Amino acid sequence: MGRYLLGILALLKNCIYSDVVNFDGDIKDFVVGNSTLFVLTDHRLHQMRHDLYEEKTKDITNAIHHNRVNILVPFEANGTLITCGTFEGYCEVLDINNITNSIYYESYILVGPRQNEKSVAFIAGRYLLVGKKDDDETAQGNRYSVVSLWNTLESQPGRIFSKLAEVSDASIQSTVRDVVFVDGFQRVSPSESYLFLNTKTDNERKVLVLRMNSAKEKKMDIIKSLQSATIQCCSDKVRPVLVACTVIPSVNGVIWAAGVFSAENQQDPENSAALYDISNVQGRVKGFCAYGENPCGSESGSELQPLSVVFKYSSMSAVAAVRIGSWIVLFIGTSDGQLIKLVLDEKFTPGCPTVLYKSDDERAVLPRMHFDPVDYKHIYIALRQQLRRVSVVQCGNYSTLKDCRAAQDPLCCWCVNTHRCSTQDECSDTS
Ligand SMILES: *[C@@H]1O[C@H](CO)[C@@H](O)[C@H](O)[C@H]1NC(C)=O
Ligand SMILES: *[C@@H]1O[C@H](CO)[C@@H](O)[C@H](O)[C@H]1NC(C)=O
Ligand SMILES: *[C@@H]1O[C@H](CO)[C@@H](O)[C@H](O)[C@H]1NC(C)=O
Ligand SMILES: *[C@@H]1O[C@H](CO)[C@@H](O)[C@H](O)[C@H]1NC(C)=O
C-alpha cells in the first residue's frame, strides 16, 4: 500500500487545483457556518466566505493582554458566534454576519480549557456543551467534571453563561483524571450529542463514546440520559488511542462513525482507520456518570467492535466522510500534509486511495476538516498557517464512459446528455 501511494504522490504532486489562503499565524481551529467560515489564529479571528474571501477580522489578543480563544462555536439559530477565552476568563457573543459587532460580553467565567488542552464544544439543543479535562486539580470526592452544559440565552438578568441546573452543576463526572476529548457531534434528528474521548489509567488506555439525548428541555435530563460504550480497535493489533473521528449519518436511524486509531508506539507507527455502528450505544461505562450519581457508572456499557478496518497508513491524523447511497467516501488527512480520498463500497471494500492534495513541505493536516456545507464538493483543510479548499470530485478527469465507470467514484456519473463524466447535479443542470 505504502509504495503504491508513493507512486500516486509522485504523479499528482502539484497538479491539482485548490484555493488557498495564508494567515500571519498558525491556525488553531476553524469552524464552518451556513454561509461563513471562521478561522482562529493566535492573534486574530477571521470571518471568510465559503470561497475564502475574507470579510472581517477581529483581534483577540494584543501586546498588553495575552488572550487565547478556547471556544469557537457558531450558533446559527441565534445568528451568533460564541467565543470564549482565557483573558480573565470571558465569553463573548458576536454577530455571525459581522464578527466586529460584539453583542454580549461576560467576564470571570472559565468555559474552555485553561491550559492548551484539547476540548470539544458545540450547541446541543439549547445549550453549549463543552467536553474537557477538569481544570481543578482536586477532585470532589474523587470525581472530575468532564462535560458541562452552559446556558446560551439570558437565564438571569445580565448573565447568560452558567452551568448550573436547578440544584447542582449540569455535568458528567468521571473518576478518571486523564481524559482527552477528541471530537464531538450534534445530530439534528433525533437530537443527540456524541462525544469521543481517550482515557488513561495506570494500567489501561481506552477509547469511549458518550451519547446524550439533547432534545430534553432540562439540562439535568440531558445529563441523565447519558449512555456510553468502549470502542475497540482493532482485532489484528491493539491501537487504543483515538487520533481523529467523524460521524456518518445514514438512513433508518443508523449512525456510523469512522475513527483513526494509533498504538502511540514508535515500533508501530502505522495507524488504522475503522468504521463503527454507533446506533446502539447503551449502558454505562464504569467511571463515567451524571453529577452525583452513585456508584459512578457500572460495567454495563457495551464494547463496540469495528464493522471493518478500512485503511492502514503511517501518518493519518484527520478524517471526514460523506455517504452516497450505500457507499462511503472517506477523506483522510495525514501528518505529512496529504489529503487522501478513499471510496468504500457497500461491503466496506476500499477502492484505490487517491491523493487529492500533497503539501510540499509536509505540514500536518489539522485533525478537524470540514466540508463546504452548501454542496459538499469541497473540503477545507488547515495546514499550519494555511487554509485550503480542495475539490473532492474530479469527474472531469475521466473522458470516456469506460473510465468514468472504472473510476468507481460514487460522486461521479456518466451524463448521457453531454457525454461527459460529471457529478449528478452538473448533469441535471444541463438537461
Ligand atoms: C443553517 O443550516 C441548517 C442546515 O442546513 C438549517 O437547518 C438552518 O435553518 C440554517 N440556519 C440559518 C440561520 O440559516
Ligand atoms: C440571541 O442571543 C442574544 C444574546 O444571547 C439574545 O439576546 C437574543 O434574544 C437571541 N436571539 C434569538 C433569535 O434567539
Ligand atoms: C459591523 O459591525 C461594526 C461594529 O458594530 C459596525 O461598525 C459596522 O458598520 C458593521 N458592518 C456591517 C457591514 O454591518
Ligand atoms: C484532474 O483534472 C485536473 C484539472 O483538469 C488536473 O489538473 C489533474 O491533474 C487531474 N487529476 C488526475 C488524477 O488526473
Side-chain angles (χ1 to χ4, degrees):
M1 182 74 81
R3 201 173 302 152
Y4 177 60
L5 268 176
L6 282 178
I8 313 180
L9 284 188
L11 244 154
L12 292 191
K13 209 168 174 193
N14 291 333
C15 63
I16 292 159
Y17 172 78
S18 55
D19 314 43
V20 51
V21 182
N22 288 294
F23 296 94
D24 58 358
D26 284 4
I27 297 171
K28 298 296 171 192
D29 195 6
F30 74 105
V31 292
V32 176
N34 276 13
S35 56
T36 321
L37 222 70
F38 301 98
V39 183
L40 178 70
T41 62
D42 274 324
H43 301 285
R44 267 175 278 283
L45 180 63
H46 304 258
Q47 171 184 332
M48 337 226 2
R49 285 199 320 229
H50 285 163
D51 60 3
L52 299 190
Y53 172 82
E54 184 171 280
E55 294 181 318
K56 298 268 187 296
T57 64
K58 179 183 166 72
D59 287 347
I60 54 172
T61 188
N62 59 39
I64 308 161
H65 302 297
H66 180 72
N67 177 37
R68 185 171 50 79
V69 168
N70 52 20
I71 296 282
L72 179 65
V73 175
F75 186 10
E76 297 280 359
N78 185 257
T80 55
L81 178 72
I82 300 178
T83 63
C84 303
T86 52
F87 172 64
E88 291 179 337
Y90 76 94
C91 286
E92 185 169 25
V93 178
L94 308 174
D95 179 347
I96 203 163
N97 297 310
N98 179 0
I99 55 168
T100 58
N101 181 17
S102 171
I103 295 173
Y104 176 79
Y105 191 97
E106 187 172 326
S107 293
Y108 309 113
I109 35 170
L110 190 69
V111 177
R114 185 177 292 144
Q115 308 299 336
N116 223 340
E117 272 155 1
K118 281 194 184 179
S119 64
V120 170
F122 55 87
I123 299 292
R126 309 159 52 207
Y127 304 107
L128 173 66
L129 183 153
V130 179
K132 62 171 185 178
K133 183 176 173 178
D134 198 337
D135 289 302
D136 289 332
E137 288 300 325
T138 48
Q140 313 153 312
N142 278 333
R143 289 187 184 192
Y144 302 93
S145 228
V146 292
V147 178
S148 301
L149 287 177
W150 295 79
N151 292 359
T152 53
L153 301 173
E154 196 166 82
S155 48
Q156 59 193 92
R159 306 258 325 152
I160 291 181
F161 295 95
S162 158
K163 59 178 173 179
L164 278 181
E166 288 80 28
V167 284
S168 60
D169 275 5
S171 65
I172 287 177
Q173 296 188 311
S174 160
T175 57
V176 183
R177 175 79 185 123
D178 218 336
V179 299
V180 178
F181 283 82
V182 178
D183 219 333
F185 308 89
Q186 166 75 5
R187 181 189 196 184
V188 180
S189 137
S191 179
E192 286 180 327
S193 303
Y194 291 88
L195 289 161
F196 296 84
L197 61 150
N198 290 311
T199 68
K200 189 171 148 196
T201 55
D202 287 343
N203 45 23
E204 213 175 11
R205 310 191 72 143
K206 276 185 184 172
V207 181
L208 303 184
V209 52
L210 312 181
R211 175 171 70 104
M212 277 166 283
N213 177 350
S214 24
K216 305 246 184 216
E217 200 149 308
K218 290 191 176 159
K219 279 186 193 175
M220 215 52 206
D221 291 339
I222 298 180
I223 295 289
K224 282 183 184 155
S225 71
L226 170 72
Q227 304 284 315
S228 50
T230 314
I231 295 184
Q232 299 281 349
C233 177
C234 290
S235 48
D236 60 333
K237 241 179 207 167
V238 181
R239 297 204 166 87
V241 180
L242 184 67
V243 177
C245 63
T246 188
V247 296
I248 316 166
S250 307
V251 284
N252 302 330
V254 175
I255 181 162
W256 289 348
V260 170
F261 297 82
S262 152
E264 281 202 346
N265 172 354
Q266 309 245 299
Q267 264 73 56
D268 178 19
E270 197 175 61
N271 291 349
S272 297
L275 289 184
Y276 294 82
D277 183 343
I278 54 166
S279 320
N280 290 309
V281 173
Q282 293 286 345
R284 291 280 175 88
V285 169
K286 192 164 168 241
F288 283 79
C289 58
Y291 187 94
E293 204 173 73
N294 267 313
C296 192
S298 54
E299 254 341 334
S300 62
S302 45
E303 281 193 357
L304 303 180
Q305 299 292 339
L307 293 168
S308 181
V309 176
V310 293
F311 196 51
K312 290 184 194 170
Y313 194 58
S314 64
S315 52
M316 293 189 279
S317 62
V319 63
V322 288
R323 197 185 159 83
I324 296 131
S326 53
W327 294 51
I328 291 173
V329 187
L330 289 185
F331 298 90
I332 294 164
T334 70
S335 54
D336 59 0
Q338 301 175 61
L339 178 64
I340 297 169
K341 175 177 171 182
L342 188 72
V343 174
L344 309 174
D345 69 9
E346 55 269 269
K347 296 198 178 86
F348 315 123
T349 312
C352 290
T354 46
V355 176
L356 294 179
Y357 175 74
K358 166 85 180 91
S359 88
D360 286 340
D361 50 0
E362 308 209 331
R363 305 173 184 208
V365 176
L366 198 81
R368 281 171 201 165
M369 305 193 288
H370 299 287
F371 292 102
D372 180 332
V374 178
D375 59 8
Y376 280 72
K377 274 192 211 146
H378 292 89
I379 189 167
Y380 299 98
I381 60 171
L383 304 125
R384 239 180 281 155
Q385 301 183 326
Q386 201 173 74
L387 190 75
R388 285 189 168 262
R389 179 175 192 263
V390 183
S391 170
V392 300
V393 277
Q394 298 169 349
C395 311
N397 287 39
Y398 311 112
S399 51
T400 64
L401 168 63
K402 190 163 155 253
D403 290 349
C404 189
R405 292 248 167 94
Q408 297 232 325
D409 187 333
L411 298 163
C412 305
C413 60
W414 185 254
C415 182
V416 192
N417 301 336
T418 58
H419 296 277
R420 280 169 61 184
C421 194
S422 49
T423 61
Q424 219 124 55
D425 28 323
E426 274 163 9
C427 190
S428 35
D429 283 352
T430 59
S431 61

